[in-house]
Amino acid sequence: GTFSLEVPDIPGFAEPNLAQFGWAIVIGLIASVLGSGVRWLALRVRPFVEPRPLVAVPLAGLVVAALAIGFAAATGHAASEVLFSGQDALGGLLTDSARYSVGTLLLLIGAKGLAYAVSLAAFRGGPIFPAMFLGAALGMVLSHLPGLPLVAGAAMGIGAMSVVMLRLPLTSVLLASLLLASDEVALMPLVIVAVVVAHVVTARLTPARPATTSAPAAAEHPPGDAGP
């Protein structure tokens, strides 16, 4: 079959203004802290999982299930919004935004972020859609404040969270643009600013890797190479 990233039936967006560029900086800063926190927690949990996978992986699954059930019980929304990657739920999150209060969105970000970190530490799977989902929810929360339309906030949040988790700025801009294709030209300047801010701040928050002492290894992975 086929799958399209584009979310239909979203509100239109005309053109960015100065206030929205200010929000792009704010969203980039918040996303860098949120995404770095998810990564930090995953890296702290992983050493406890790897030596004992037969015990730790089922426990991690129970933690994710508990977070999903707790979110559903507290908000009345579906547990699947926390339980799964967010690929299928992202469209509904944006098109049915009126169903999500600020409190619900904050609970969703907290539960989804914790479940995301545990899953990164214990399970196989991609980081892309959970990052996009968290970014959209972050943008929706901030859109309740003056000067930030929902579509612009969601687009900047998606791009910023994607670059924090993927470290791929161009890909992160394209992901947000593909998702909101109907407004991609007008939104792209805002997304670029949010992505650049998030990428730079994340690089400052992330400890540098130790220098390689082996000459062959250093030659094999020169500076800027994507190798481990």
Side-chain angles (χ1 to χ4, degrees):
T2 59
F3 175 77
S4 174
L5 278 177
E6 182 179 356
V7 177
D9 303 324
I10 58 174
F13 181 79
E15 60 182 16
N17 56 35
L18 186 61
Q20 290 159 14
F21 280 106
W23 276 116
I25 296 173
V26 172
I27 289 174
L29 292 171
I30 297 174
S32 62
V33 174
L34 177 60
S36 297
V38 169
R39 185 187 299 275
W40 178 88
L41 181 58
L43 291 173
R44 295 303 178 276
V45 173
R46 186 176 178 181
F48 296 97
V49 175
E50 287 185 331
R52 52 189 77 84
L54 293 179
V55 175
V57 171
L59 287 176
L62 290 175
V63 170
V64 174
L67 289 166
I69 293 170
F71 169 77
T75 63
H77 286 263
S80 59
E81 295 181 10
V82 173
L83 189 61
F84 300 122
S85 69
Q87 175 178 330
D88 296 325
L90 186 54
L93 181 70
L94 294 174
T95 56
D96 297 332
S97 57
R99 296 176 53 238
Y100 295 85
S101 66
V102 173
T104 298
L105 288 169
L106 290 173
L107 282 174
L108 180 58
I109 291 171
K112 188 79 171 179
L114 291 172
Y116 187 14
V118 172
S119 298
L120 285 173
F123 299 104
R124 293 182 180 273
I128 297 175
F129 282 104
M132 294 173 69
F133 190 90
L134 277 177
L138 172 63
M140 288 174 63
V141 168
L142 295 176
S143 71
H144 286 81
L145 297 173
L148 181 63
L150 182 142
V151 174
M156 291 186 282
I158 290 168
M161 278 298 297
S162 296
V163 79
V164 173
M165 301 309 296
L166 302 179
R167 310 296 177 87
L168 300 171
L170 179 58
T171 299
S172 300
V173 172
L174 291 176
L175 284 172
S177 300
L178 289 172
L179 190 71
L180 305 171
S182 59
D183 299 312
E184 61 179 330
V185 175
L187 289 169
M188 191 171 289
L190 297 173
V191 174
I192 290 173
V193 173
V195 166
V196 169
V197 171
H199 189 50
V200 171
V201 175
T202 301
R204 298 292 297 176
L205 292 176
T206 304
R209 294 182 179 180
T212 306
T213 57
S214 169
E220 183 180 66
H221 298 298
D225 191 65

